[in-house]
Amino acid sequence: MSANLWYKNAVIYCLDVESFMDLDGDGVGDFAGLADRLDHLERLGVNCIWLNPFYPSPNRDNGYDITDYYGVDPRYGTLGDFVEFMHAAADRGMRVIIDLVVNHTSVDHPWFQSARQSEDSPFRDWYVWSKEKPANITEGVVFPGVQEAIWTHDRKAGAWYLHRFYKHQPDLNVANPQVRVEILKIMGFWLALGVSGFRIDAVPFLIEDMGLPNGGTQDPFSLLTEMKEFLSWRRAGAVLLAEANIEYELAEDYFDGGDRMNMIFDFPLNQTLFLSLARRTASPLRQTLMHRPGSAGMGQWASFLRNHDELDLARLTKAERGEIFTAFAPDPGMQLYNRGIRRRLAPMLGNDQDLIRMAQSLMFALPGTPVMWYGEEIGMGEDLSLSEREAVRTPMQWNDQRNGGFSAAERDAVFRQVPADGPNGHRHINVAEQISNPDSLLHAVASMIAARRSAPEIGWGEFEVVDLGTDDVLALSYRWRGGHVVTLHNFTDKAVTFPIEIDGIERFVPLLSDAHNREPFSGGTKITLPRFGYCWLRCGAERR
Ligand code: GLC
């Protein structure tokens, strides 16, 4: 496999400009603040930043409701500030990918405002309308309990419009060639400003042509091929990362060997990972990895622990979901949409440092590209007093001062309060304290990223699940160009001892480990992993 596929060995860090760093002191994060804090990301070792939407928006869905695809919301700065940030990121060798949210616009977008005025509007057909009330309008809502329907009647339009998400997010009609041209134009605009690709929002909904009179006449995946072709012509090496919570059987339709999506978030794996953590056995995760389809050619899975949304467990059975709720979100207020958990990793895992570190190490060791959510590197917590998914989007905790160092504004002027007290509040959990503490989670995560960056076998090589004869430990083996790396993770809260024997391997050199197992040892030796211990080994000699 070619070594120039940068994204297969990248470490991606997702953040929202709004909540990262407020430099001008108005209580809202901004591009200038983000540019100012790139040293944190450089120290951590990430080499690609994924920005949540920063476009002009009424902000009813964290910016996923856009009113102008060609601008920066004035709350975060100007287009000039964006370019300055891009320059600063490039200076530090970091790529930037951005959210492309074209399944829907905001109802406030001028296109929709025009479309609803009259059937003669040039934008009428940019959306999906029905004169009659569609059947089963409550079926298929994405946010059960909050969203009532997927079709809403608009009085001015005299028709119903489709919205797979909230009713303030009307779906664009991608069967309309003008809409397709516009999508490419949006991509071209941001590519010209230097982005290295897009995280495409809600891909399965984007490509469905539900409710259209000519629905089903074109191959829904053709849009993805068009987007990829355009992307490659405009910028070599740019990538598409799909938010597609799909069954594995459908994966190749989305990848098409990388001719469509380069990467897809591995939602099924994410769910079995948490089942494994809840059950304290590697078994569910091992099973999923063994049955997961490969990602041929340019395709790659993206691994994650938590993101800006709820931890979605909808693919598990009710009983399995129940086990995870009991372990990690026992209070109904921690659960969301009858399927997920609106918590961050550290409090979910009971702030158990061993378990948190094992889970983090595991994410970097999984076959795929790791995608982190800001604040997880220091163990931030959630604010359950906030609504829905806002709980996991509190501002970054930089220090123990006012507003956690996020903003110099008065406390009440900050757009969302920075949790101060409790085990995950900024007085206790913050970047400044963890920088000065060599035993901190921040240092541990930085060394995991360094290990991942020095083990290209993981991103570029072939993987195998090694049978150790126990499900207490997950052992993954990676080979690439003569190099060979094995990673071990103990899912139990007890020390586990087992011999490590791999054909032809005489010597193991630890590449990363918890406080134990730091010395090289020979094949056949018994190794002990402490409770929730982890250890990455380079097999044989140094990498050639
Ligand atoms: C995606 C985003 C989510 C957003 C939704 C609608 O699922 O991850 O945050 O609410 O799309 O745009």
mmCIF file with all atom_site columns, all heavy atoms in Angstrom, residues 209-230:
data_model
loop_
_atom_site.group_PDB
_atom_site.id
_atom_site.type_symbol
_atom_site.label_atom_id
_atom_site.label_alt_id
_atom_site.label_comp_id
_atom_site.label_asym_id
_atom_site.label_entity_id
_atom_site.label_seq_id
_atom_site.pdbx_PDB_ins_code
_atom_site.Cartn_x
_atom_site.Cartn_y
_atom_site.Cartn_z
_atom_site.occupancy
_atom_site.B_iso_or_equiv
_atom_site.pdbx_formal_charge
_atom_site.auth_seq_id
_atom_site.auth_comp_id
_atom_site.auth_asym_id
_atom_site.auth_atom_id
_atom_site.pdbx_PDB_model_num
ATOM 1   N N   . ASP A 1 209 ? -32.886 10.185 -1.982  1.00 0.00 ? 209 ASP A N   1
ATOM 2   C CA  . ASP A 1 209 ? -33.718 11.135 -2.718  1.00 0.00 ? 209 ASP A CA  1
ATOM 3   C C   . ASP A 1 209 ? -35.176 10.923 -2.358  1.00 0.00 ? 209 ASP A C   1
ATOM 4   O O   . ASP A 1 209 ? -36.052 10.792 -3.181  1.00 0.00 ? 209 ASP A O   1
ATOM 5   C CB  . ASP A 1 209 ? -33.494 11.066 -4.228  1.00 0.00 ? 209 ASP A CB  1
ATOM 6   C CG  . ASP A 1 209 ? -33.383 9.642  -4.710  1.00 0.00 ? 209 ASP A CG  1
ATOM 7   O OD1 . ASP A 1 209 ? -33.785 8.745  -3.951  1.00 0.00 ? 209 ASP A OD1 1
ATOM 8   O OD2 . ASP A 1 209 ? -32.898 9.445  -5.829  1.00 0.00 ? 209 ASP A OD2 1
ATOM 9   N N   . MET A 1 210 ? -35.367 10.916 -1.054  1.00 0.00 ? 210 MET A N   1
ATOM 10  C CA  . MET A 1 210 ? -36.675 10.661 -0.499  1.00 0.00 ? 210 MET A CA  1
ATOM 11  C C   . MET A 1 210 ? -37.721 11.701 -0.906  1.00 0.00 ? 210 MET A C   1
ATOM 12  O O   . MET A 1 210 ? -37.459 12.893 -0.883  1.00 0.00 ? 210 MET A O   1
ATOM 13  C CB  . MET A 1 210 ? -36.525 10.731 1.007   1.00 0.00 ? 210 MET A CB  1
ATOM 14  C CG  . MET A 1 210 ? -37.513 9.921  1.730   1.00 0.00 ? 210 MET A CG  1
ATOM 15  S SD  . MET A 1 210 ? -37.208 10.172 3.451   1.00 0.00 ? 210 MET A SD  1
ATOM 16  C CE  . MET A 1 210 ? -38.869 10.476 3.951   1.00 0.00 ? 210 MET A CE  1
ATOM 17  N N   . GLY A 1 211 ? -38.868 11.217 -1.286  1.00 0.00 ? 211 GLY A N   1
ATOM 18  C CA  . GLY A 1 211 ? -39.984 12.129 -1.493  1.00 0.00 ? 211 GLY A CA  1
ATOM 19  C C   . GLY A 1 211 ? -39.954 12.879 -2.809  1.00 0.00 ? 211 GLY A C   1
ATOM 20  O O   . GLY A 1 211 ? -40.810 13.699 -3.071  1.00 0.00 ? 211 GLY A O   1
ATOM 21  N N   . LEU A 1 212 ? -38.963 12.613 -3.632  1.00 0.00 ? 212 LEU A N   1
ATOM 22  C CA  . LEU A 1 212 ? -38.912 13.343 -4.893  1.00 0.00 ? 212 LEU A CA  1
ATOM 23  C C   . LEU A 1 212 ? -39.735 12.623 -5.945  1.00 0.00 ? 212 LEU A C   1
ATOM 24  O O   . LEU A 1 212 ? -39.758 11.400 -5.989  1.00 0.00 ? 212 LEU A O   1
ATOM 25  C CB  . LEU A 1 212 ? -37.462 13.424 -5.392  1.00 0.00 ? 212 LEU A CB  1
ATOM 26  C CG  . LEU A 1 212 ? -36.555 14.266 -4.523  1.00 0.00 ? 212 LEU A CG  1
ATOM 27  C CD1 . LEU A 1 212 ? -35.121 14.058 -4.927  1.00 0.00 ? 212 LEU A CD1 1
ATOM 28  C CD2 . LEU A 1 212 ? -36.940 15.720 -4.669  1.00 0.00 ? 212 LEU A CD2 1
ATOM 29  N N   . PRO A 1 213 ? -40.390 13.404 -6.819  1.00 0.00 ? 213 PRO A N   1
ATOM 30  C CA  . PRO A 1 213 ? -41.196 12.750 -7.854  1.00 0.00 ? 213 PRO A CA  1
ATOM 31  C C   . PRO A 1 213 ? -40.353 11.817 -8.720  1.00 0.00 ? 213 PRO A C   1
ATOM 32  O O   . PRO A 1 213 ? -40.787 10.750 -9.113  1.00 0.00 ? 213 PRO A O   1
ATOM 33  C CB  . PRO A 1 213 ? -41.743 13.914 -8.678  1.00 0.00 ? 213 PRO A CB  1
ATOM 34  C CG  . PRO A 1 213 ? -41.142 15.164 -8.142  1.00 0.00 ? 213 PRO A CG  1
ATOM 35  C CD  . PRO A 1 213 ? -40.440 14.855 -6.869  1.00 0.00 ? 213 PRO A CD  1
ATOM 36  N N   . ASN A 1 214 ? -39.110 12.237 -8.996  1.00 0.00 ? 214 ASN A N   1
ATOM 37  C CA  . ASN A 1 214 ? -38.254 11.393 -9.831  1.00 0.00 ? 214 ASN A CA  1
ATOM 38  C C   . ASN A 1 214 ? -37.306 10.556 -8.979  1.00 0.00 ? 214 ASN A C   1
ATOM 39  O O   . ASN A 1 214 ? -36.267 10.115 -9.414  1.00 0.00 ? 214 ASN A O   1
ATOM 40  C CB  . ASN A 1 214 ? -37.460 12.233 -10.829 1.00 0.00 ? 214 ASN A CB  1
ATOM 41  C CG  . ASN A 1 214 ? -36.571 13.231 -10.128 1.00 0.00 ? 214 ASN A CG  1
ATOM 42  O OD1 . ASN A 1 214 ? -36.733 13.442 -8.925  1.00 0.00 ? 214 ASN A OD1 1
ATOM 43  N ND2 . ASN A 1 214 ? -35.649 13.831 -10.847 1.00 0.00 ? 214 ASN A ND2 1
ATOM 44  N N   . GLY A 1 215 ? -37.681 10.406 -7.679  1.00 0.00 ? 215 GLY A N   1
ATOM 45  C CA  . GLY A 1 215 ? -36.823 9.681  -6.735  1.00 0.00 ? 215 GLY A CA  1
ATOM 46  C C   . GLY A 1 215 ? -36.443 8.317  -7.272  1.00 0.00 ? 215 GLY A C   1
ATOM 47  O O   . GLY A 1 215 ? -37.247 7.620  -7.864  1.00 0.00 ? 215 GLY A O   1
ATOM 48  N N   . GLY A 1 216 ? -35.202 7.944  -7.041  1.00 0.00 ? 216 GLY A N   1
ATOM 49  C CA  . GLY A 1 216 ? -34.765 6.609  -7.409  1.00 0.00 ? 216 GLY A CA  1
ATOM 50  C C   . GLY A 1 216 ? -34.290 6.474  -8.842  1.00 0.00 ? 216 GLY A C   1
ATOM 51  O O   . GLY A 1 216 ? -33.832 5.420  -9.239  1.00 0.00 ? 216 GLY A O   1
ATOM 52  N N   . THR A 1 217 ? -34.352 7.541  -9.625  1.00 0.00 ? 217 THR A N   1
ATOM 53  C CA  . THR A 1 217 ? -33.959 7.388  -11.027 1.00 0.00 ? 217 THR A CA  1
ATOM 54  C C   . THR A 1 217 ? -32.447 7.496  -11.202 1.00 0.00 ? 217 THR A C   1
ATOM 55  O O   . THR A 1 217 ? -31.906 7.008  -12.164 1.00 0.00 ? 217 THR A O   1
ATOM 56  C CB  . THR A 1 217 ? -34.626 8.432  -11.930 1.00 0.00 ? 217 THR A CB  1
ATOM 57  O OG1 . THR A 1 217 ? -34.396 9.705  -11.359 1.00 0.00 ? 217 THR A OG1 1
ATOM 58  C CG2 . THR A 1 217 ? -36.109 8.167  -12.080 1.00 0.00 ? 217 THR A CG2 1
ATOM 59  N N   . GLN A 1 218 ? -31.768 8.173  -10.278 1.00 0.00 ? 218 GLN A N   1
ATOM 60  C CA  . GLN A 1 218 ? -30.313 8.191  -10.439 1.00 0.00 ? 218 GLN A CA  1
ATOM 61  C C   . GLN A 1 218 ? -29.642 7.420  -9.307  1.00 0.00 ? 218 GLN A C   1
ATOM 62  O O   . GLN A 1 218 ? -30.208 7.274  -8.237  1.00 0.00 ? 218 GLN A O   1
ATOM 63  C CB  . GLN A 1 218 ? -29.762 9.606  -10.521 1.00 0.00 ? 218 GLN A CB  1
ATOM 64  C CG  . GLN A 1 218 ? -30.413 10.628 -9.633  1.00 0.00 ? 218 GLN A CG  1
ATOM 65  C CD  . GLN A 1 218 ? -29.840 12.005 -9.905  1.00 0.00 ? 218 GLN A CD  1
ATOM 66  O OE1 . GLN A 1 218 ? -28.755 12.123 -10.442 1.00 0.00 ? 218 GLN A OE1 1
ATOM 67  N NE2 . GLN A 1 218 ? -30.550 13.030 -9.522  1.00 0.00 ? 218 GLN A NE2 1
ATOM 68  N N   . ASP A 1 219 ? -28.435 6.965  -9.599  1.00 0.00 ? 219 ASP A N   1
ATOM 69  C CA  . ASP A 1 219 ? -27.688 6.235  -8.595  1.00 0.00 ? 219 ASP A CA  1
ATOM 70  C C   . ASP A 1 219 ? -27.347 7.215  -7.468  1.00 0.00 ? 219 ASP A C   1
ATOM 71  O O   . ASP A 1 219 ? -26.640 8.198  -7.689  1.00 0.00 ? 219 ASP A O   1
ATOM 72  C CB  . ASP A 1 219 ? -26.400 5.684  -9.235  1.00 0.00 ? 219 ASP A CB  1
ATOM 73  C CG  . ASP A 1 219 ? -25.498 5.019  -8.203  1.00 0.00 ? 219 ASP A CG  1
ATOM 74  O OD1 . ASP A 1 219 ? -25.908 4.913  -7.031  1.00 0.00 ? 219 ASP A OD1 1
ATOM 75  O OD2 . ASP A 1 219 ? -24.383 4.623  -8.575  1.00 0.00 ? 219 ASP A OD2 1
ATOM 76  N N   . PRO A 1 220 ? -27.853 6.967  -6.267  1.00 0.00 ? 220 PRO A N   1
ATOM 77  C CA  . PRO A 1 220 ? -27.617 7.941  -5.194  1.00 0.00 ? 220 PRO A CA  1
ATOM 78  C C   . PRO A 1 220 ? -26.131 8.169  -4.918  1.00 0.00 ? 220 PRO A C   1
ATOM 79  O O   . PRO A 1 220 ? -25.732 9.257  -4.506  1.00 0.00 ? 220 PRO A O   1
ATOM 80  C CB  . PRO A 1 220 ? -28.316 7.317  -3.985  1.00 0.00 ? 220 PRO A CB  1
ATOM 81  C CG  . PRO A 1 220 ? -28.571 5.896  -4.333  1.00 0.00 ? 220 PRO A CG  1
ATOM 82  C CD  . PRO A 1 220 ? -28.639 5.828  -5.830  1.00 0.00 ? 220 PRO A CD  1
ATOM 83  N N   . PHE A 1 221 ? -25.308 7.128  -5.173  1.00 0.00 ? 221 PHE A N   1
ATOM 84  C CA  . PHE A 1 221 ? -23.885 7.262  -4.869  1.00 0.00 ? 221 PHE A CA  1
ATOM 85  C C   . PHE A 1 221 ? -23.127 8.098  -5.893  1.00 0.00 ? 221 PHE A C   1
ATOM 86  O O   . PHE A 1 221 ? -21.976 8.454  -5.674  1.00 0.00 ? 221 PHE A O   1
ATOM 87  C CB  . PHE A 1 221 ? -23.242 5.880  -4.731  1.00 0.00 ? 221 PHE A CB  1
ATOM 88  C CG  . PHE A 1 221 ? -23.724 5.152  -3.509  1.00 0.00 ? 221 PHE A CG  1
ATOM 89  C CD1 . PHE A 1 221 ? -24.723 4.201  -3.591  1.00 0.00 ? 221 PHE A CD1 1
ATOM 90  C CD2 . PHE A 1 221 ? -23.199 5.445  -2.264  1.00 0.00 ? 221 PHE A CD2 1
ATOM 91  C CE1 . PHE A 1 221 ? -25.182 3.552  -2.463  1.00 0.00 ? 221 PHE A CE1 1
ATOM 92  C CE2 . PHE A 1 221 ? -23.646 4.801  -1.122  1.00 0.00 ? 221 PHE A CE2 1
ATOM 93  C CZ  . PHE A 1 221 ? -24.649 3.851  -1.219  1.00 0.00 ? 221 PHE A CZ  1
ATOM 94  N N   . SER A 1 222 ? -23.795 8.399  -7.019  1.00 0.00 ? 222 SER A N   1
ATOM 95  C CA  . SER A 1 222 ? -23.076 9.157  -8.047  1.00 0.00 ? 222 SER A CA  1
ATOM 96  C C   . SER A 1 222 ? -22.650 10.525 -7.526  1.00 0.00 ? 222 SER A C   1
ATOM 97  O O   . SER A 1 222 ? -21.623 11.061 -7.926  1.00 0.00 ? 222 SER A O   1
ATOM 98  C CB  . SER A 1 222 ? -23.942 9.313  -9.304  1.00 0.00 ? 222 SER A CB  1
ATOM 99  O OG  . SER A 1 222 ? -25.091 10.075 -8.992  1.00 0.00 ? 222 SER A OG  1
ATOM 100 N N   . LEU A 1 223 ? -23.422 11.077 -6.600  1.00 0.00 ? 223 LEU A N   1
ATOM 101 C CA  . LEU A 1 223 ? -23.043 12.381 -6.037  1.00 0.00 ? 223 LEU A CA  1
ATOM 102 C C   . LEU A 1 223 ? -21.679 12.286 -5.351  1.00 0.00 ? 223 LEU A C   1
ATOM 103 O O   . LEU A 1 223 ? -20.831 13.166 -5.487  1.00 0.00 ? 223 LEU A O   1
ATOM 104 C CB  . LEU A 1 223 ? -24.103 12.856 -5.033  1.00 0.00 ? 223 LEU A CB  1
ATOM 105 C CG  . LEU A 1 223 ? -23.758 14.149 -4.283  1.00 0.00 ? 223 LEU A CG  1
ATOM 106 C CD1 . LEU A 1 223 ? -23.651 15.328 -5.243  1.00 0.00 ? 223 LEU A CD1 1
ATOM 107 C CD2 . LEU A 1 223 ? -24.807 14.452 -3.204  1.00 0.00 ? 223 LEU A CD2 1
ATOM 108 N N   . LEU A 1 224 ? -21.472 11.179 -4.637  1.00 0.00 ? 224 LEU A N   1
ATOM 109 C CA  . LEU A 1 224 ? -20.199 11.029 -3.915  1.00 0.00 ? 224 LEU A CA  1
ATOM 110 C C   . LEU A 1 224 ? -19.033 10.890 -4.890  1.00 0.00 ? 224 LEU A C   1
ATOM 111 O O   . LEU A 1 224 ? -17.948 11.421 -4.653  1.00 0.00 ? 224 LEU A O   1
ATOM 112 C CB  . LEU A 1 224 ? -20.260 9.819  -2.979  1.00 0.00 ? 224 LEU A CB  1
ATOM 113 C CG  . LEU A 1 224 ? -21.402 9.832  -1.957  1.00 0.00 ? 224 LEU A CG  1
ATOM 114 C CD1 . LEU A 1 224 ? -21.285 8.647  -1.013  1.00 0.00 ? 224 LEU A CD1 1
ATOM 115 C CD2 . LEU A 1 224 ? -21.423 11.136 -1.161  1.00 0.00 ? 224 LEU A CD2 1
ATOM 116 N N   . THR A 1 225 ? -19.276 10.177 -5.990  1.00 0.00 ? 225 THR A N   1
ATOM 117 C CA  . THR A 1 225 ? -18.220 10.045 -7.000  1.00 0.00 ? 225 THR A CA  1
ATOM 118 C C   . THR A 1 225 ? -17.905 11.413 -7.605  1.00 0.00 ? 225 THR A C   1
ATOM 119 O O   . THR A 1 225 ? -16.733 11.777 -7.768  1.00 0.00 ? 225 THR A O   1
ATOM 120 C CB  . THR A 1 225 ? -18.662 9.066  -8.109  1.00 0.00 ? 225 THR A CB  1
ATOM 121 O OG1 . THR A 1 225 ? -19.123 7.864  -7.489  1.00 0.00 ? 225 THR A OG1 1
ATOM 122 C CG2 . THR A 1 225 ? -17.532 8.743  -9.058  1.00 0.00 ? 225 THR A CG2 1
ATOM 123 N N   . GLU A 1 226 ? -18.960 12.177 -7.903  1.00 0.00 ? 226 GLU A N   1
ATOM 124 C CA  . GLU A 1 226 ? -18.738 13.529 -8.467  1.00 0.00 ? 226 GLU A CA  1
ATOM 125 C C   . GLU A 1 226 ? -17.942 14.400 -7.501  1.00 0.00 ? 226 GLU A C   1
ATOM 126 O O   . GLU A 1 226 ? -17.030 15.129 -7.902  1.00 0.00 ? 226 GLU A O   1
ATOM 127 C CB  . GLU A 1 226 ? -20.093 14.236 -8.688  1.00 0.00 ? 226 GLU A CB  1
ATOM 128 C CG  . GLU A 1 226 ? -20.805 13.853 -9.954  1.00 0.00 ? 226 GLU A CG  1
ATOM 129 C CD  . GLU A 1 226 ? -22.253 14.387 -9.947  1.00 0.00 ? 226 GLU A CD  1
ATOM 130 O OE1 . GLU A 1 226 ? -22.508 15.486 -9.418  1.00 0.00 ? 226 GLU A OE1 1
ATOM 131 O OE2 . GLU A 1 226 ? -23.121 13.669 -10.467 1.00 0.00 ? 226 GLU A OE2 1
ATOM 132 N N   . MET A 1 227 ? -18.309 14.326 -6.236  1.00 0.00 ? 227 MET A N   1
ATOM 133 C CA  . MET A 1 227 ? -17.613 15.154 -5.239  1.00 0.00 ? 227 MET A CA  1
ATOM 134 C C   . MET A 1 227 ? -16.132 14.771 -5.159  1.00 0.00 ? 227 MET A C   1
ATOM 135 O O   . MET A 1 227 ? -15.254 15.625 -5.093  1.00 0.00 ? 227 MET A O   1
ATOM 136 C CB  . MET A 1 227 ? -18.282 15.007 -3.863  1.00 0.00 ? 227 MET A CB  1
ATOM 137 C CG  . MET A 1 227 ? -19.649 15.662 -3.792  1.00 0.00 ? 227 MET A CG  1
ATOM 138 S SD  . MET A 1 227 ? -20.588 15.176 -2.329  1.00 0.00 ? 227 MET A SD  1
ATOM 139 C CE  . MET A 1 227 ? -19.886 16.244 -1.094  1.00 0.00 ? 227 MET A CE  1
ATOM 140 N N   . LYS A 1 228 ? -15.887 13.454 -5.201  1.00 0.00 ? 228 LYS A N   1
ATOM 141 C CA  . LYS A 1 228 ? -14.511 12.994 -5.076  1.00 0.00 ? 228 LYS A CA  1
ATOM 142 C C   . LYS A 1 228 ? -13.675 13.379 -6.302  1.00 0.00 ? 228 LYS A C   1
ATOM 143 O O   . LYS A 1 228 ? -12.529 13.820 -6.176  1.00 0.00 ? 228 LYS A O   1
ATOM 144 C CB  . LYS A 1 228 ? -14.490 11.480 -4.870  1.00 0.00 ? 228 LYS A CB  1
ATOM 145 C CG  . LYS A 1 228 ? -13.118 10.910 -4.604  1.00 0.00 ? 228 LYS A CG  1
ATOM 146 C CD  . LYS A 1 228 ? -12.480 11.605 -3.401  1.00 0.00 ? 228 LYS A CD  1
ATOM 147 C CE  . LYS A 1 228 ? -11.028 11.242 -3.251  1.00 0.00 ? 228 LYS A CE  1
ATOM 148 N NZ  . LYS A 1 228 ? -10.858 9.846  -2.895  1.00 0.00 ? 228 LYS A NZ  1
ATOM 149 N N   . GLU A 1 229 ? -14.281 13.236 -7.467  1.00 0.00 ? 229 GLU A N   1
ATOM 150 C CA  . GLU A 1 229 ? -13.545 13.600 -8.683  1.00 0.00 ? 229 GLU A CA  1
ATOM 151 C C   . GLU A 1 229 ? -13.178 15.084 -8.657  1.00 0.00 ? 229 GLU A C   1
ATOM 152 O O   . GLU A 1 229 ? -12.048 15.477 -8.919  1.00 0.00 ? 229 GLU A O   1
ATOM 153 C CB  . GLU A 1 229 ? -14.385 13.304 -9.926  1.00 0.00 ? 229 GLU A CB  1
ATOM 154 C CG  . GLU A 1 229 ? -14.240 11.870 -10.374 1.00 0.00 ? 229 GLU A CG  1
ATOM 155 C CD  . GLU A 1 229 ? -15.165 11.521 -11.526 1.00 0.00 ? 229 GLU A CD  1
ATOM 156 O OE1 . GLU A 1 229 ? -15.838 12.425 -12.070 1.00 0.00 ? 229 GLU A OE1 1
ATOM 157 O OE2 . GLU A 1 229 ? -15.213 10.329 -11.871 1.00 0.00 ? 229 GLU A OE2 1
ATOM 158 N N   . PHE A 1 230 ? -14.163 15.883 -8.322  1.00 0.00 ? 230 PHE A N   1
ATOM 159 C CA  . PHE A 1 230 ? -13.943 17.330 -8.261  1.00 0.00 ? 230 PHE A CA  1
ATOM 160 C C   . PHE A 1 230 ? -12.825 17.661 -7.262  1.00 0.00 ? 230 PHE A C   1
ATOM 161 O O   . PHE A 1 230 ? -11.898 18.422 -7.551  1.00 0.00 ? 230 PHE A O   1
ATOM 162 C CB  . PHE A 1 230 ? -15.252 18.016 -7.838  1.00 0.00 ? 230 PHE A CB  1
ATOM 163 C CG  . PHE A 1 230 ? -15.127 19.498 -7.676  1.00 0.00 ? 230 PHE A CG  1
ATOM 164 C CD1 . PHE A 1 230 ? -15.276 20.341 -8.772  1.00 0.00 ? 230 PHE A CD1 1
ATOM 165 C CD2 . PHE A 1 230 ? -14.869 20.064 -6.434  1.00 0.00 ? 230 PHE A CD2 1
ATOM 166 C CE1 . PHE A 1 230 ? -15.158 21.717 -8.625  1.00 0.00 ? 230 PHE A CE1 1
ATOM 167 C CE2 . PHE A 1 230 ? -14.757 21.437 -6.278  1.00 0.00 ? 230 PHE A CE2 1
ATOM 168 C CZ  . PHE A 1 230 ? -14.903 22.264 -7.374  1.00 0.00 ? 230 PHE A CZ  1
#
